[in-house]
């Protein structure tokens, strides 16, 4: 372990230019950062401890949205979402990831900022452009079974690991951000993450020293919801492919639809092309295939992960068929939730 200085943030007003300075890191639950420090992947000179940050520990309901404080734990959020109409998708995603012990420590903002689980990113003996820009991407020509097919470049094909982020992108979440000078802004989560391009070490659009203070979740009009995660074992494993979906049918046609794909993108993937192609159509196998064909036109496979496009097809078919059946069975309950 490299030596570091530990400071503490008790409230948002204490944020200053030193809090997020170069080579410093905010630490909340520590469920990802501590592992990275042990492996010398992250070697911050300063840690800013957020465990006593009291401003952002609550979930507050407003007329049109919920405000989820950055320090709300994954357990708290999953419990809240499971009993809140329109947020079942978020609860399903959270409960499909990690262990109970990790969910008790992991925070809302920390989950969104977790880093890839690429083997080569964690192995400091291997070249990795995300860890050391310009050294190369080992995964491109090596074992890459867990790696991305959307948003990749020849510099990086690492997959974003978060289940929660996939559901939040599907639900239209926004981030409340604050800078050290007190400047505040709001950014849609769909625009927060950066695909690698030529700069895979730049993973998001946070400015220097900027801090996520909350997630803003709009109240949902989308009825039946389903998060389905395909993984190597039944629990405590990252997604090979996941689909987050919310659906409303009117007159047997898609009236409202939201989607998010996990396990397949360098960022939590928002399949806007698929959504636009399915709106107003009947959910036939042919229409689903056509819509996904358009999305997959930009996909790139790398050998060991060649199975992901057909697996994504099968998973999307399964999820949309289940949701359509649920809508046909309970047409009078537009707000009914489909639990995984």
């Amino acid at each position: 372990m490299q030596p570091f200085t530990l400071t503490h943030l008790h409230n948002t007003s204490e944020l200053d230019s030193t809090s997020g300075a170069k080579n410093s890191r905010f630490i909340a639950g520590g469920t990802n950062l501590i592992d990275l420090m042990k492996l010398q992947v992250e070697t911050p000179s300063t840690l800013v401890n957020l465990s006593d940050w009291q401003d952002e520990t609550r979930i507050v309901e407003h007329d049109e949205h919920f405000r989820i404080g950055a320090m709300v734990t994954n357990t708290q959020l999953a419990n809240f979402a499971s009993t809140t109409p329109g947020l079942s998708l978020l609860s399903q995603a959270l409960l499909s990831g990690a262990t109970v012990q990790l969910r008790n420590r992991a925070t809302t903002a920390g989950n969104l900022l977790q880093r890839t689980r690429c083997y080569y990113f964690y192995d400091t003996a291997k070249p990795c452009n995300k860890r050391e820009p310009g050294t190369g991407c080992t995964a491109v020509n090596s074992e890459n079974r867990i790696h991305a097919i959307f948003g990749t470049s020849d510099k990086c094909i690492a997959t974003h690991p978060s289940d929660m982020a996939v559901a939040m992108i599907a639900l239209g979440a926004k981030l409340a951000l604050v800078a050290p000078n007190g400047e505040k802004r709001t950014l849609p989560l769909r625009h927060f993450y950066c695909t690698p391009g030529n700069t895979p070490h730049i993973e998001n659009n946070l400015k220097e020293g900027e801090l996520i203070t909350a997630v803003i979740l709009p109240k949902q009009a989308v009825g039946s919801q389903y998060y389905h995660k395909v993984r190597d074992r039944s629990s405590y494993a990252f997604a090979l492919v996941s689909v987050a979906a919310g659906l409303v049918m009117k007159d047997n046609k898609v009236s409202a639809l939201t989607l998010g794909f996990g396990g397949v993108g360098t960022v939590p993937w928002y399949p806007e092309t698929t959504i636009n192609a399915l709106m107003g159509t009947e959910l036939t196998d042919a229409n689903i295939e056509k819509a996904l064909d358009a999305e997959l036109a930009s996909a790139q496979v790398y050998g060991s992960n060649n199975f992901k496009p057909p697996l994504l097809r099968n998973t999307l078919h399964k999820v949309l068929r289940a949701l359509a059946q649920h809508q046909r069975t309970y047409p009078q309950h537009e707000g009914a939730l489909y639990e995984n």
Side-chain angles (χ1 to χ4, degrees):
M1 182 74 73
Q2 298 292 324
F4 58 87
T5 301
L6 182 67
T7 64
H8 302 271
L9 185 75
H10 299 93
N11 55 70
T12 308
S13 63
E14 293 177 0
L15 188 67
D16 59 28
S17 58
T18 62
S19 299
K22 190 174 181 180
N23 206 32
S24 71
R25 297 289 185 273
F26 294 109
I27 182 168
T31 59
N32 185 207
L33 179 60
I34 296 300
D35 286 342
L36 294 172
M37 290 176 66
K38 288 178 179 178
L39 294 169
Q40 305 293 301
V41 175
E42 292 265 13
T43 55
S45 57
T46 301
L47 286 182
V48 182
N49 176 32
L50 301 179
S51 62
D52 294 326
W53 184 26
Q54 297 301 312
D55 297 352
E56 301 296 350
T57 58
R58 297 183 302 140
I59 301 172
V60 180
E61 182 176 0
H62 297 272
D63 290 342
E64 296 182 351
H65 67 268
F66 301 99
R67 188 181 189 280
I68 316 298
M71 293 298 290
V72 170
T73 68
N74 286 180
T75 295
Q76 290 174 290
L77 184 53
N79 291 341
F80 173 79
S82 69
T83 58
T84 303
L87 294 185
S88 172
L89 188 62
L90 180 57
S91 179
Q92 293 176 55
L94 282 164
L95 293 175
S96 74
T99 64
V100 174
Q101 293 89 343
L102 285 174
R103 290 199 298 268
N104 287 344
R105 289 293 301 166
T107 63
T108 298
N111 185 305
L112 296 174
L113 291 171
Q114 66 181 295
R115 305 196 70 186
T116 182
R117 292 326 195 262
C118 171
Y119 332 114
Y120 311 109
F121 173 71
Y122 272 73
D123 185 350
T124 55
K126 296 289 196 301
C128 172
N129 287 319
K130 187 179 286 291
R131 191 182 64 247
E132 296 182 71
T135 58
C137 177
T138 305
V140 170
N141 296 309
S142 301
E143 169 60 42
N144 46 46
R145 183 172 180 273
I146 67 170
H147 288 72
I149 60 173
F150 290 120
T152 61
S153 73
D154 61 353
K155 302 295 190 295
C156 182
I157 62 172
T159 311
H160 195 279
S162 175
D163 292 291
M164 186 189 79
V166 175
M168 282 190 170
I169 277 179
L171 293 172
K174 297 180 179 179
L175 300 182
L177 308 172
V178 62
N181 63 4
E183 180 183 352
K184 297 179 180 179
R185 64 178 178 130
T186 303
L187 182 67
L189 187 59
R190 293 169 190 168
H191 301 154
F192 176 67
Y193 296 105
C194 301
T195 54
N198 291 319
T199 55
H201 59 292
I202 300 175
E203 299 179 348
N204 57 60
N205 285 305
L206 280 176
K207 299 176 182 178
E208 188 170 304
E210 204 168 34
L211 184 64
I212 299 172
T213 56
V215 174
I216 310 301
L217 279 175
K219 293 184 176 180
Q220 299 299 315
V222 175
S224 302
Q225 299 181 355
Y226 189 8
Y227 185 79
H228 187 69
K229 179 177 179 178
V230 182
R231 45 193 162 177
D232 284 326
R233 57 181 187 269
S234 61
S235 62
Y236 314 143
F238 294 100
L240 294 172
V241 166
S242 67
V243 172
L247 174 71
V248 174
M249 301 285 287
K250 297 278 188 175
D251 301 322
N252 209 35
K253 293 184 177 180
V254 177
S255 172
L257 174 68
T258 188
L259 290 172
F261 293 162
V264 291
T266 56
V267 299
W269 197 254
Y270 180 63
E272 188 171 8
T273 301
T274 301
I275 294 169
N276 290 340
L278 288 173
M279 284 299 299
T281 69
E282 296 183 10
L283 277 182
T284 63
D285 287 349
N287 285 340
I288 296 172
E289 283 290 304
K290 183 178 179 181
L292 196 52
D293 280 343
E295 194 77 44
L296 286 168
S298 65
Q300 174 71 48
V301 294
Y302 294 88
S304 302
N305 69 354
N306 288 8
F307 68 94
K308 285 199 173 186
L311 182 58
L312 178 60
R313 285 185 187 278
N314 292 340
T315 306
L316 183 62
H317 275 280
K318 173 185 172 70
V319 167
L320 292 182
R321 280 197 298 263
L323 288 174
Q325 180 60 46
H326 188 258
Q327 289 276 295
R328 286 191 292 269
T329 305
Y330 305 104
Q332 72 279 21
H333 297 122
E334 189 172 293
L337 306 178
Y338 187 97
E339 296 292 349
N340 188 2

